[in-house]
Amino acid sequence: MTEIHIDTEFIKLDALLKFANLVSSGGEAKIRIAEGEVQVNGAPCTMRGKKLRPGDTVTLDGETVTIA
């Protein structure tokens, strides 16, 4: 599990996927989210603009990232 530290109140799901290097581009993030491949806090999430805050977890392809 990887921890990502943010200095803002929240980060949007698509931006987090790019920031954490789980996807190579914003376009890939959009497709992977739309197809339900991304889990937020253990549940599939199809909202690209989902606001993630410290304590949330995101999983894609078996890799989990925690927001700190």
Side-chain angles (χ1 to χ4, degrees):
M1 184 179 311
T2 305
E3 253 189 29
I4 298 291
H5 296 275
I6 59 171
D7 296 326
T8 56
E9 180 183 347
F10 63 86
I11 185 170
K12 291 186 179 180
L13 179 56
D14 58 348
L16 174 79
L17 293 178
K18 290 188 300 184
F19 184 70
N21 293 319
L22 295 176
V23 296
S24 58
S25 68
E28 181 184 351
K30 180 179 177 180
I31 292 168
R32 307 283 303 265
I33 294 168
E35 292 181 354
E37 297 179 28
V38 180
Q39 291 188 345
V40 175
N41 297 326
C45 181
T46 57
M47 298 185 315
R48 189 174 72 186
K50 170 86 173 152
K51 293 178 181 177
L52 304 170
R53 292 178 166 77
D56 287 335
T57 61
V58 175
T59 304
L60 176 63
D61 294 337
E63 286 194 50
T64 301
V65 174
T66 301
I67 315 288

